[in-house]
Amino acid sequence: KVIILLDEYDTPMQEAYVNGYWDELVSFTRSMFNATFKTNPYMERGIMTGITRVSKESIFSDLNNLEVVTTTSKKYAEYFASGTRKIIRVEACSSYHLKLYFDNGEIKMFNVQPLIEKGNIFQYLQSVDRFNSVYLNDGVVCWDIDPAVDSNIEWNNRIDLSPDTCYVESKPIL
């Protein structure tokens, strides 16, 4: 899988706004971002850089789990400085929590409830049976929307969580 880096994503947007072709660019950009960052089965992670603050209700509204990280964000600094962690085992627990086992020996709990409550693709997991059908695919926490469909062939059948987010957002089990 690939990591996609998009530098200065906002430069064409600024030009379009100033030069009067904003609507056309927004339509194109939404389509491009969907194909590149949301529905791309070959993408491991995507990073966009720019100087314009992201508005989640604009061209990014189609993307799931979009997180704005600025140069002053401390949230991921320690994690990336010490190297990424791979999830080696996952267990569904009560109250929409996942017990995650990492390759460095840590065991942590991740609360999926806030994602379910957002009303996006994760609301599918409100059913406890669906939530409990969690599995790992190459270190990524996943659920299949339709268990009869092979998610390795049908890219839009899978709901997944970034291992980085799982690690940073989860709580250690003492």
Side-chain angles (χ1 to χ4, degrees):
K1 292 196 175 189
V2 298
I3 296 173
I4 298 174
L5 306 173
L6 177 57
D7 190 22
E8 296 187 23
Y9 77 89
D10 52 345
T11 300
M13 295 179 354
Q14 292 169 5
E15 292 295 318
Y17 183 78
V18 169
N19 294 304
Y21 54 94
W22 174 257
D23 292 336
E24 294 86 350
L25 184 71
V26 166
S27 176
F28 168 78
T29 304
R30 276 192 183 129
S31 176
M32 182 185 75
F33 283 2
N34 182 292
T36 304
F37 295 107
K38 182 175 183 178
T39 62
N40 183 348
Y42 304 105
M43 184 183 79
E44 174 72 23
R45 179 175 299 123
I47 299 173
M48 293 184 284
T49 66
I51 60 168
T52 305
R53 179 144 175 97
V54 170
S55 170
K56 294 181 186 178
E57 290 76 36
S58 65
I59 60 171
F60 301 102
S61 61
D62 196 32
L63 302 177
N64 293 331
N65 297 323
L66 181 67
E67 184 165 349
V68 177
V69 179
T70 69
T71 56
T72 59
S73 298
K74 298 191 188 317
K75 185 174 187 177
Y76 287 89
E78 182 180 324
Y79 172 71
F80 284 113
S82 64
T84 59
R85 307 288 184 259
K86 183 172 182 176
I87 302 169
I88 57 172
R89 187 169 143 205
V90 61
E91 297 173 9
C93 299
S94 62
S95 304
Y96 300 104
H97 282 75
L98 297 173
K99 191 173 188 180
L100 304 170
Y101 298 79
F102 291 90
D103 62 349
N104 65 347
E106 288 182 84
I107 303 171
K108 299 176 98 177
M109 292 295 279
F110 182 82
N111 185 1
V112 182
Q113 184 69 40
L115 294 173
I116 294 170
E117 290 174 353
K118 282 185 179 179
N120 57 26
I121 189 69
F122 288 98
Q123 70 185 10
Y124 169 83
L125 302 175
Q126 285 178 331
S127 160
V128 173
D129 289 338
R130 289 178 183 158
F131 178 78
N132 288 339
S133 68
V134 66
Y135 66 95
L136 281 180
N137 181 28
D138 196 27
V140 177
V141 175
C142 301
W143 294 267
D144 289 334
I145 295 170
D146 182 349
V149 175
D150 184 349
S151 291
N152 291 317
I153 296 172
E154 288 290 327
W155 56 263
N156 61 349
N157 187 54
R158 183 179 289 148
I159 301 169
D160 57 33
L161 291 171
S162 159
D164 301 328
T165 299
C166 287
Y167 187 83
V168 172
E169 297 289 332
S170 59
K171 306 289 184 221
I173 296 176
L174 303 176

